[in-house]
């Protein structure tokens, strides 16, 4: 990288993208492809595809603790240690609690990935579209504010990002879970297929479908051009994939942006704030703290995309104060940081199935089956608002008996036996954004880089508890009727945040008095600043949100560039 | 030589009191062969674990647990992945195991005959880990030794082969009854 700190001119770009995760990577790709000189700022270190996946080809026996996190690390970092993917093979991609403190006014497990690629390296890769049943939810059910967009606004952009990212799935023809541009789906197991057929025959409005996921089940030309090949079913995704088998910024959008010659990627760059020019009435750049030297440098551009991941995007805007915006950039409504929400992942159910003993599976699969939302879809029918989707998986595990000792024990260990079909689901519930669920900045305490410490203050509510109860009841009934046995439900009681689907705080809406962003993801009050990560979400629905961030980002960049050309921003 | 339990205990107490006073460099027993961060184990302790590994999963025509260093894995896991109170319990259990062995056979586990080892382990297989310290040590160590063995390079390349790159997933295939393997 050239020394870009020399003069203001050297520090001036056409566009600045804050963050290099799943949405920032898309912003980088879109801007650079359209010919804009783009600065991509990443607070963490660089992680280059192929080069920086140190554990990717390691065998189980090469990990001293066979994947387990040592107790001393767990004790020092209780939050991240609760994350399912925080294991010995991928721990280097997760932020340790100790290194980046925040204040939990109520318990909130904030899972972060501070590196180039962000959490797109370790995400769970499930990708479903929203429908108008989701976008019209707040207006129909009277919460939050109406979304300023509808499915029709986003549908072409879903198609656009799906083709490039590569999404495996099946066209199911479900109105509230629209079909996409799918590569072939991953197979279902025998018992998953049985349950799919059982549900179709016995429940009019319920479906069990092939999981839709960002894996190259059958790579197309566009994927080959990215240097990515077919998913090899390793299911070691969280280590970074040397095949580019799943979509990440590192394997896909960032190298694509790099190839244009228009991208300047600057790791170790914490964005302190966005610079607002009172005369011009718009943002002119950002203040960046170099994490190594702790020096502050300004960078300038005509348009700024904030893709720092939901919570940190709120932090940057709240910290961007000026005479015009004393309470944070674009915060005329006073709602910045409020109406934050997440997904309710507390419910789990497991069971066994005694049938189909003569069948099993072979190889590994990076996804499972999926049960789209079936509660309150067409109209309100329960005593809680909205609903939940669920994962569905059925597989057989091999085990060995471990009785006694000596030669007989060794014989047992040498001869694996096939267990029964295990069956399980987890809940993905929509939560209702509330004004009191919010992110604020500490007035005094600062972190190592001089940024104010974040406060997170949110919790489950009565609606979430009722929905959890309904999940247990409905799933237990479906499982029972399908002939599953040994059914067990459990409430993980996990804190909000551990779903890693935190959303909101900078919500979209039609009215500047009740929202921060317009229908193009521009701040109502500062139109050359866009937010297209989780922070922009007006409501949460039940779908894994990343695909929607990608589509919103590509759409917003397209709009930004056309406005720039017309001199409108 | 038969020694009364009282005399044996006295000797043990005398010796350990003496050891406590001596600087560690004068101690006869060298430290364990692998570096530990949290717990202290010496070569004798390591020998007990190695003998236990060898007894649980013996070398036959194929390597046993000791050959794949499952006893070292056990030490590493207790040292790094156990909570303090569980480490303490395991260490006390190891002492109880050693004492049980010496009380019964007047020598350490690794000096025991195959019959003596079998008799001791049969007792501990049946004992309750939550009330019996030696059983806790035995059953916990057995679990770790099995984990170390079944996740070893030998086991995952020669017994149940681990595929780093399966490159396939089939959701529904007929179960084939595998041939019985001889260990």
């Amino acid at each position: 990288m050239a020394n870009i700190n020399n003069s203001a001119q050297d520090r001036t770009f056409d566009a600045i993208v804050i963050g290099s995760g799943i949405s920032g990577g898309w912003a980088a790709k879109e801007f650079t492809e359209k010919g804009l000189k783009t600065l991509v700022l990443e607070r963490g270190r660089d992680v280059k595809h192929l080069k920086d996946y140190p554990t990717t080809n390691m065998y189980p026996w090469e990990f001293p603790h066979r994947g387990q996190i040592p107790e001393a690390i767990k004790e020092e970092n209780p939050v991240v240690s609760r994350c399912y993917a925080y294991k010995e093979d991928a721990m280097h991609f997760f932020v340790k609690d100790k290194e980046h403190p925040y204040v939990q006014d109520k318990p909130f497990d904030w899972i972060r990935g501070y590196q180039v690629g962000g959490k797109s390296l370790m995400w769970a890769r499930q990708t479903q579209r929203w429908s108008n049943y989701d976008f019209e939810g707040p207006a129909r059910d009277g919460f939050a504010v109406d979304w300023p967009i509808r499915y029709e606004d986003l549908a072409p952009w879903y198609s656009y990002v799906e083709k490039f990212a590569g999404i495996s799935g099946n066209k199911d023809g479900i109105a509230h879970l629209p079909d996409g541009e799918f590569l072939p789906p991953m197979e279902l197991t025998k018992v998953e297929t049985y349950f799919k057929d059982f549900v179709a025959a016995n429940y009019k409005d319920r479906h069990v479908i092939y999981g839709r996921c960002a894996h190259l089940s059958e790579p197309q030309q566009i994927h080959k051009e990215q240097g990515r090949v077919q998913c090899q079913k390793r299911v070691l995704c969280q280590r970074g994939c040397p095949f580019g088998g799943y979509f990440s910024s590192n394997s896909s959008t960032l190298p694509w942006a790099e190839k244009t010659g228009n991208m300047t990627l600057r790791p170790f760059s914490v964005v302190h704030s966005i610079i607002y020019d009172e005369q011009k009435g718009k943002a002119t750049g950002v203040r960046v703290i170099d994490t190594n030297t702790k020096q502050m440098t300004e960078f300038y551009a005509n348009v700024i995309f904030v893709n720092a991941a939901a919570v940190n995007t709120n932090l940057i805007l709240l910290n961007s104060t000026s005479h015009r915006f004393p309470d944070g950039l674009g915060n005329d409504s006073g709602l910045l940081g409020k109406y934050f929400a997440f997904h309710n992942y507390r419910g789990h159910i497991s069971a066994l199935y005694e049938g189909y003993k003569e069948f099993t599976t072979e190889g590994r699969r990076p996804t499972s089956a999926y049960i789209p939302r079936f509660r309150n879809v067409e109209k309100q029918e329960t005593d809680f608002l909205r609903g939940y989707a669920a994962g569905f998986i059925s597989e057989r595990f091999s085990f060995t008996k471990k009785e006694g000792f000596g030669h007989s024990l060794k014989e047992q260990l040498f001869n694996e036996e096939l267990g029964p079909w295990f069956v399980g689901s987890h809940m993905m519930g929509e939560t209702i954004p509330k004004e009191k669920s919010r992110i604020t900045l500490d007035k005094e305490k600062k972190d190592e880089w001089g940024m104010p410490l974040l406060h997170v203050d949110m919790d489950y509510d009565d609606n979430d508890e009722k929905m959890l109860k309904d999940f247990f009841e409905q799933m237990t009934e479906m499982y029972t009727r399908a002939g599953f046995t040994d059914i067990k439900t459990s409430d993980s009681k996990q804190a909000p945040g551990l779903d890693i689907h935190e959303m909101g705080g900078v919500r979209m809406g039609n009215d500047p008095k009740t929202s921060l962003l317009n229908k193009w993801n521009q701040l109502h009050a500062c139109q050359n600043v866009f937010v297209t990560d989780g922070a922009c979400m007006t409501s949460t629905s039940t779908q894994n949100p990343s695909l929607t961030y990608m589509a919103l980002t590509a759409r917003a960049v397209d709009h930004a560039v056309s406005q720039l050309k017309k001199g409108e921003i | 030589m038969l020694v009364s339990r009282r005399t044996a205990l006295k000797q043990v107490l005398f010796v350990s009191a003496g050891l406590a006073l001596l600087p560690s460099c004068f101690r006869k027993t060298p430290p364990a062969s692998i570096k530990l961060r949290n717990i202290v184990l010496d070569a004798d302790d390591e020998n007990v674990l190695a003998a236990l590994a060898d007894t649980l999963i013996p070398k036959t025509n194929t390597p046993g647990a000791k050959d794949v260093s499952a006893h070292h894995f056990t030490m590493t896991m207790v040292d790094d992945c156990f909570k303090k109170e569980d480490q303490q319990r395991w260490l006390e259990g190891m002492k109880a195991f050693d004492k049980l062995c010496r009380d019964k056979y007047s020598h350490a586990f690794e000096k025991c005959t195959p019959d003596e080892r079998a008799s001791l382990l049969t007792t501990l297989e049946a004992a309750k880990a939550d009330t019996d310290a030696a059983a806790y040590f035995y059953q916990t160590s057995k679990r770790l030794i099995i984990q170390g063995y079944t996740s070893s390079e030998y086991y995952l390349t020669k017994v149940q082969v681990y595929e780093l790159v399966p490159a396939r997933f089939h959701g529904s295939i007929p179960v084939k009854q595998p041939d019985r393997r001889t260990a």
Side-chain angles (χ1 to χ4, degrees):
Chain A
M1 187 172 65
N3 188 350
I4 53 173
N5 294 348
N6 285 347
S7 68
Q9 203 185 348
D10 292 335
R11 286 180 276 117
T12 301
F13 298 82
D14 298 324
I16 290 175
V17 177
I18 305 170
S20 63
I22 216 150
S23 65
W26 268 99
K29 170 188 173 289
E30 294 304 301
F31 274 127
T32 55
E33 261 189 315
K34 290 173 195 289
L36 278 76
K37 294 285 175 199
T38 305
L39 174 67
V40 179
L41 296 166
E42 166 54 51
R43 66 172 298 157
R45 67 191 169 95
D46 197 5
V47 172
K48 284 261 183 287
H49 186 50
L50 308 178
K51 277 194 214 123
D52 295 322
Y53 303 153
T55 58
T56 192
N57 285 322
M58 282 170 67
Y59 283 92
W61 60 85
E62 296 180 272
F63 294 97
H65 309 98
R66 305 295 193 267
Q68 218 172 307
I69 299 283
E71 197 54 31
I73 298 176
K74 276 194 198 167
E75 267 170 31
E76 271 194 346
N77 307 283
V79 169
V80 70
S81 295
R82 286 192 280 271
C83 175
Y84 70 98
Y86 187 66
K87 295 270 155 39
E88 201 170 22
D89 65 343
M91 58 192 288
H92 47 285
F93 290 145
F94 288 85
V95 166
K96 293 204 169 76
D97 309 6
K98 227 188 155 207
E99 291 162 11
H100 296 279
Y102 62 102
V103 186
Q104 302 176 58
D105 293 337
K106 292 201 183 81
F108 182 85
D109 287 345
W110 188 16
I111 308 301
R112 296 161 284 174
Y114 289 170
Q115 64 253 328
V116 168
K119 298 194 293 294
S120 79
L121 276 168
M122 320 86 88
W123 67 312
R125 312 164 310 280
Q126 302 302 300
T127 39
Q128 312 92 15
R129 292 185 179 201
W130 279 40
S131 74
N132 278 341
Y133 293 88
D134 307 304
F135 287 114
E136 290 172 0
R140 188 191 83 178
D141 293 343
F143 65 95
V145 289
D146 191 14
W147 276 87
I149 56 169
R150 288 294 179 266
Y151 178 65
E152 292 70 28
D153 297 305
L154 211 52
W157 295 101
Y158 273 132
S159 290
Y160 179 78
V161 298
E162 282 165 348
K163 281 182 198 156
F164 188 82
I167 306 296
S168 140
N170 183 56
K171 288 195 189 284
D172 299 299
I174 299 167
H176 60 282
L177 201 78
D179 292 330
E181 310 288 336
F182 294 141
L183 307 174
M186 309 272 175
E187 287 182 29
L188 295 183
T189 69
K190 192 78 185 172
V191 172
E192 288 165 357
T193 305
Y194 158 72
F195 191 59
K196 179 186 199 306
D197 296 343
F198 173 84
V199 168
N202 290 278
Y203 293 88
K204 199 168 121 273
D205 302 316
R206 300 188 188 185
H207 309 271
V208 177
I209 65 167
Y210 297 78
R212 298 169 182 178
C213 60
H215 281 261
L216 299 182
S217 52
E218 200 177 282
Q220 306 299 302
Q221 185 56 30
I222 188 69
H223 308 122
K224 291 172 190 162
E225 285 169 28
Q226 296 167 40
R228 299 169 59 202
V229 299
Q230 189 164 31
C231 167
Q232 299 295 305
K233 318 287 196 296
R234 297 176 356 128
V235 197
L236 301 173
C237 315
Q238 68 284 355
R239 301 179 181 180
C241 181
F243 300 94
Y246 73 91
F247 172 86
S248 66
S249 296
N250 311 65
S251 67
S252 180
T253 45
L254 291 175
W256 197 264
E258 175 83 48
K259 250 189 338 199
T260 64
N262 290 327
M263 178 173 76
T264 303
L265 177 64
R266 192 179 198 278
F268 302 115
S269 301
V270 169
V271 172
H272 172 274
S273 53
I274 294 165
I275 304 161
Y276 181 75
D277 187 310
E278 313 265 348
Q279 266 84 47
K280 291 180 183 155
K282 61 179 188 176
T284 51
V286 297
R287 299 179 190 93
V288 169
I289 304 165
D290 187 300
T291 58
N292 296 314
T293 65
K294 306 212 167 137
Q295 279 192 330
M296 180 122 62
T297 312
E298 294 186 351
F299 294 91
Y300 310 103
N302 294 323
V303 59
I304 294 157
F305 265 56
V306 195
N307 300 85
V311 175
N312 276 327
T313 286
N314 277 276
L315 165 68
I316 290 168
L317 294 179
L318 285 165
N319 203 40
S320 301
T321 53
S322 56
H323 181 68
R324 165 73 182 82
F325 295 110
D327 301 317
L329 188 65
N331 191 15
D332 289 342
S333 63
L335 297 182
L336 180 59
K338 297 177 180 173
Y339 291 97
F340 205 82
F342 52 92
H343 276 157
N344 180 354
Y345 266 57
R346 275 168 48 188
H348 297 264
I349 180 165
S350 69
L352 300 175
Y353 187 60
E354 295 301 326
Y356 294 118
K357 286 260 164 72
E358 63 277 31
F359 294 97
T360 186
T361 61
E362 195 190 68
R364 297 196 290 268
R365 179 184 57 169
T367 181
S368 64
Y370 181 86
I371 304 173
R373 177 160 78 98
F374 53 83
R375 283 309 223 183
N376 304 322
V377 175
E378 295 291 345
K379 60 178 195 316
Q380 185 62 36
E381 57 199 10
T382 66
D383 66 344
F384 57 87
L385 290 179
R386 313 308 296 161
Y388 47 85
F392 180 72
I393 193 161
S394 181
E395 57 191 329
R396 297 182 80 171
F397 297 105
S398 293
F399 69 96
T400 57
K401 290 208 186 82
K402 299 174 177 70
E403 285 157 16
F405 52 86
H407 194 248
S408 77
L409 172 63
K410 196 175 177 186
E411 287 279 353
Q412 295 164 46
L413 299 178
F414 268 53
N415 291 283
E416 282 192 333
E417 294 173 39
L418 204 49
W421 286 98
F422 163 87
V423 176
S425 290
H426 68 281
M427 167 194 188
M428 299 174 270
E430 178 163 357
T431 71
I432 306 298
K434 295 173 291 280
E435 185 167 7
K436 66 174 186 178
S437 299
R438 60 186 197 147
I439 288 165
T440 49
L441 303 187
D442 198 284
K443 292 193 171 62
E444 280 143 32
K445 286 187 218 133
K446 292 199 154 72
D447 72 9
E448 207 184 320
W449 301 274
M451 293 293 284
L453 284 198
L454 261 165
H455 284 249
V456 191
D457 184 359
M458 65 198 68
D459 206 348
Y460 296 99
D461 61 21
D462 192 42
N463 200 65
D464 300 321
E465 302 294 340
K466 284 179 181 160
M467 192 187 288
L468 178 64
K469 193 166 159 273
D470 189 71
F471 169 82
F472 288 146
E473 286 168 5
Q474 295 304 313
M475 295 303 294
T476 301
E477 189 213 89
M478 289 161 77
Y479 274 27
T480 307
R481 286 182 63 189
F484 299 158
T485 57
D486 204 20
I487 298 170
K488 291 185 183 113
T489 59
S490 69
D491 174 1
S492 71
K493 296 197 162 67
Q494 65 186 47
L498 200 57
D499 42 292
I500 329 184
H501 287 176
E502 60 273 20
M503 289 176 246
V506 197
R507 70 181 179 189
M508 295 171 74
N510 288 310
D511 186 351
K513 288 196 200 72
T514 56
S515 63
L516 278 299
L517 302 168
N518 69 13
K519 65 177 175 178
W520 300 106
N521 296 73
Q522 297 170 274
L523 282 174
H524 288 298
C526 184
Q527 301 225 333
N528 67 335
V529 175
F530 291 69
V531 174
T532 64
D533 63 9
C536 77
M537 301 296 274
T538 308
S539 63
T540 71
S541 193
T542 60
Q543 287 88 323
N544 304 61
S546 297
L547 182 71
T548 299
Y549 305 161
M550 297 190 220
L552 286 170
T553 304
R555 175 175 175 270
V557 172
D558 187 65
H559 180 73
V561 172
S562 97
Q563 279 205 312
L564 280 172
K565 280 187 186 147
K566 290 183 211 151
E568 287 171 0
I569 55 172
Chain B
M1 181 181 64
L2 284 171
V3 181
S4 77
R5 182 181 153 80
R6 193 180 297 263
T7 314
L9 270 179
K10 256 193 214 158
Q11 282 174 351
V12 168
L13 283 174
F14 176 73
V15 171
S16 48
L19 279 179
L21 295 173
L22 286 171
S24 60
C25 56
F26 291 126
R27 283 178 61 172
K28 271 196 188 147
T29 317
S33 69
I34 61 166
K35 197 171 173 285
L36 299 168
R37 290 181 191 89
N38 303 300
I39 57 171
V40 180
L41 294 176
D42 63 22
D44 285 347
D45 302 324
E46 186 172 335
N47 288 339
V48 169
L49 283 167
L52 183 59
D54 200 40
T55 313
L56 280 165
I57 308 169
K59 183 184 173 82
T60 51
N61 289 331
T62 55
K66 191 182 154 190
D67 304 309
V68 304
S69 292
H71 57 304
H72 289 147
F73 172 74
T74 302
M75 291 156 69
T76 302
M77 290 301 280
V78 174
D79 187 44
D80 288 338
C81 295
F82 273 37
K83 289 189 190 337
K84 276 208 175 57
E85 57 267 31
D86 294 334
Q87 286 171 341
Q88 204 49 45
R89 218 178 143 196
W90 185 81
L91 287 170
E92 278 160 18
M94 183 187 250
K95 275 189 209 141
F97 178 86
D98 186 52
K99 184 173 176 308
L100 184 68
C101 189
R102 287 174 194 277
D103 285 353
K104 260 188 151 170
Y105 307 117
S106 309
H107 47 231
F109 185 70
E110 69 266 28
K111 300 266 165 59
C112 287
T113 66
D115 283 349
E116 287 170 348
R117 289 186 188 192
S119 159
L120 189 72
L121 297 197
T122 304
T123 313
L124 293 174
E125 281 279 333
K128 292 258 183 295
D130 45 354
T131 49
D132 184 326
Y136 173 82
F137 165 75
Y138 167 70
Q139 290 171 20
T140 306
S141 304
K142 176 181 170 181
R143 177 174 60 75
L144 290 169
I145 286 166
I146 290 174
Q147 189 192 356
Y149 187 71
T150 55
S151 61
S152 67
E153 181 170 4
Y154 165 73
Y155 186 90
L156 291 176
T157 55
K158 298 291 191 299
V159 185
Q160 307 287 355
V161 176
Y162 172 84
E163 293 178 273
L164 191 64
V165 186
R168 70 191 182 290
F169 175 75
H170 302 302
S172 179
I173 59 156
V175 172
K176 269 183 284 182
Q177 217 41 257
D179 295 333
R180 188 102 195 138
R181 292 193 182 95
T182 23

